[in-house]
Amino acid sequence: MRERPEVTPHYGAEHEDFRKMVRTFLEREAVPHHDRWEKEGIVDRELWRKAGAAGLLGMDAPTEYGGGGEPDFRYPAVFTEELIRARVTVPGFVAHNDVVSSYLAVRTTPEQRRRWLPGLCSGELVAAIAISEPDAGSNVADIRTTAVRDGDHYVLNGQKVFITNGENADLVLVAARTAPQRGGQGLSLFVVERGTAGFARGNRLEKLGWNASDTCELFFDGCRVPAGNLVGKEHAGMAYLMTGLPRERLSIATVAVAACEQMLEDALDYARRRQAFGQAIGSFQHNRFQLATMDTEVTIARIFLDHCVTQINAGRLSAADAAKAKWWTTELQVEISNRALQLHGGYGYLRESPISREWANSRVQTIYGGTTEIMKEMIGRSLGL
């Protein structure tokens, strides 16, 4: 068994106790149903309610609203790691916990928190964030969805695409343009609730991987959103997004490192068991060197990830370091999936093989949350280039 690198103690006894609870919960409530969810393209709503009852949603939300009141990022990180270990779909929980809930816990008024946070923490409400558009992906400043003030409402018009939890979501955090003449500084954030007139969902999108994670387009056609659903200040949306993106990117990096560790474990197990020419395939020098390289790279990724988690807990994680973690770990995830699938040979190419699912799930990681190219651009600018 490959041991987890521990340059400095990262997880304490309380985190490992939490890990055991999460593992038991997933084995009981998620694993037996996951193949069906993969075929149906969506997770049962009941899982969200059970996750809320188990304390797995809104872990950093204030306790007065039903949250865990625990700002330590290591808890959602453990949840993510155990989702990967159990081979249960991850993006929906990341979007709900590490993106939307974290925005609403700090950017909302007390009245808004009373309206939304209890449901988000209990799983009665599922959340999504809607930023990407058909013509505005990596460049948030190109968003075309508009929100025009009309009395006590804003009228939203536009389209969003690739929205995780788009079908299940009861609350959608929408980025829209409220001051077109101000470019990227003219964006605002709104919560659009299920059933709002003028808000419609497109068909479920079929993806290469993460098939149990419901993804769809969203449409806003004269959608009247109460002014009380504006999050924070008008025109401050870009600043809020830039502040929240490091956490989202660290969450994606957590998925990447956990997936790399799982794929490496799978590859090592297969290399020890699979026989060719009268010996285990792991004993051939080429394969042994490949696995040694993978082990080294995954160890480095884990150490840097743990460093970044320590930094975010201390309030010091920079946008550049979050970008480094995001692009390097996700590109490594794609590379590890390629090498691990190759090692499995024909069996790895079968749809029923766990490594084939990991290969398919890995590819989007370098795209959402900011592409690798955008991450490198951010890092380059941080160097004064």
Side-chain angles (χ1 to χ4, degrees):
M1 176 66 96
R2 178 180 179 271
E3 293 186 359
R4 174 194 174 93
E6 289 288 3
V7 174
T8 57
H10 185 66
Y11 287 126
E14 65 276 18
H15 302 104
E16 297 305 331
D17 288 342
F18 179 68
R19 184 185 303 279
K20 293 175 184 176
M21 185 273 285
V22 173
R23 188 170 296 182
T24 299
F25 172 84
L26 293 175
E27 289 174 352
R28 183 181 65 246
E29 305 294 352
V31 173
H33 312 290
H34 199 262
D35 285 346
R36 174 172 59 83
W37 296 338
E38 285 271 299
K39 293 174 183 176
E40 295 176 352
I42 193 168
V43 169
D44 287 344
R45 284 299 297 258
E46 186 61 23
L47 179 68
W48 290 95
R49 288 185 280 270
K50 289 179 177 179
L56 301 178
L57 304 179
M59 285 176 260
D60 62 339
T63 56
E64 62 189 288
Y65 303 111
E70 179 53 76
D72 185 350
F73 187 84
R74 287 174 291 184
Y75 286 100
V78 166
F79 186 27
T80 295
E81 290 172 0
E82 290 305 309
L83 285 165
I84 291 291
R85 179 186 176 276
R87 307 186 195 279
V88 173
T89 190
V90 175
F93 287 108
V94 169
H96 182 102
N97 266 345
D98 297 334
V99 183
V100 181
S101 293
S102 62
Y103 278 109
L104 298 185
V106 298
R107 299 295 181 189
T108 46
T109 65
E111 186 275 331
Q112 289 173 329
R113 289 195 284 274
R114 285 193 295 271
R115 269 198 286 154
W116 297 324
L117 288 185
L120 293 176
C121 295
S122 70
E124 290 300 322
L125 299 178
V126 176
I129 186 167
I131 300 176
S132 296
E133 299 182 359
D135 297 314
S138 295
N139 188 3
V140 177
D142 284 345
I143 284 175
R144 296 183 182 181
T145 297
T146 59
V148 178
R149 184 70 182 256
D150 181 23
D152 293 334
H153 290 77
Y154 285 87
V155 180
L156 271 63
N157 286 284
Q159 177 182 355
K160 300 293 183 177
V161 70
F162 310 133
I163 307 306
T164 299
N165 291 342
E167 189 172 344
N168 254 335
D170 304 286
L171 303 179
V172 183
L173 185 63
V174 179
R177 188 170 296 285
T178 45
Q181 71 279 9
R182 294 177 61 176
Q185 302 308 309
L187 297 179
S188 300
L189 300 181
F190 300 88
V191 169
V192 179
E193 298 171 89
R194 181 185 291 276
T196 301
F199 170 38
R201 305 163 204 258
N203 293 329
R204 193 179 303 161
L205 300 175
E206 295 187 6
K207 308 182 297 298
L208 176 66
W210 293 129
N211 293 314
S213 176
D214 58 299
T215 308
C216 66
E217 293 178 286
L218 305 179
F219 301 93
F220 306 93
D221 184 9
C223 178
R224 295 184 64 82
V225 178
N229 284 24
L230 171 69
V231 175
K233 297 180 179 179
E234 192 177 60
H235 314 320
M238 179 66 84
Y240 296 155
L241 291 174
M242 292 303 102
T243 301
L245 280 172
R247 181 185 176 99
E248 178 181 357
R249 288 165 179 161
L250 188 59
S251 298
I252 295 172
T254 302
V255 173
V257 174
C260 286
E261 291 173 336
Q262 184 62 57
M263 289 187 288
L264 178 55
E265 290 291 344
D266 290 345
L268 285 168
D269 179 64
Y270 189 78
R272 294 178 182 122
R273 290 186 295 103
R274 175 65 169 165
Q275 297 283 316
F277 303 102
Q279 61 190 95
I281 62 171
S283 65
F284 293 108
Q285 186 184 63
H286 172 78
N287 292 337
R288 191 166 63 248
F289 281 12
Q290 283 277 24
L291 290 163
T293 300
M294 292 160 67
D295 180 69
T296 302
E297 292 170 334
V298 172
T299 299
I300 292 168
R302 167 55 66 181
I303 291 170
F304 185 58
L305 175 68
D306 288 355
H307 164 76
C308 289
V309 170
T310 300
Q311 291 297 101
I312 200 171
N313 277 346
R316 295 194 299 264
L317 180 65
S318 68
D321 276 355
K324 293 173 189 177
K326 197 275 178 185
W327 89 256
W328 197 81
T329 60
T330 57
E331 291 288 348
L332 178 64
Q333 183 182 359
V334 171
E335 182 59 30
I336 294 290
S337 72
N338 276 326
R339 292 186 217 159
L341 193 148
Q342 182 72 21
L343 185 72
H344 280 74
Y347 291 105
Y349 196 64
L350 298 178
R351 188 178 293 272
E352 66 186 31
S353 169
I355 195 61
S356 72
R357 287 189 182 183
E358 293 294 342
W359 180 86
N361 292 342
S362 294
R363 192 59 189 86
V364 73
Q365 286 271 98
T366 66
I367 299 172
Y368 57 22
T371 64
T372 292
E373 293 75 16
I374 293 297
M375 296 301 96
K376 291 181 178 180
E377 182 68 24
M378 289 179 57
I379 296 164
R381 290 180 183 180
S382 76
L383 299 174
L385 301 175

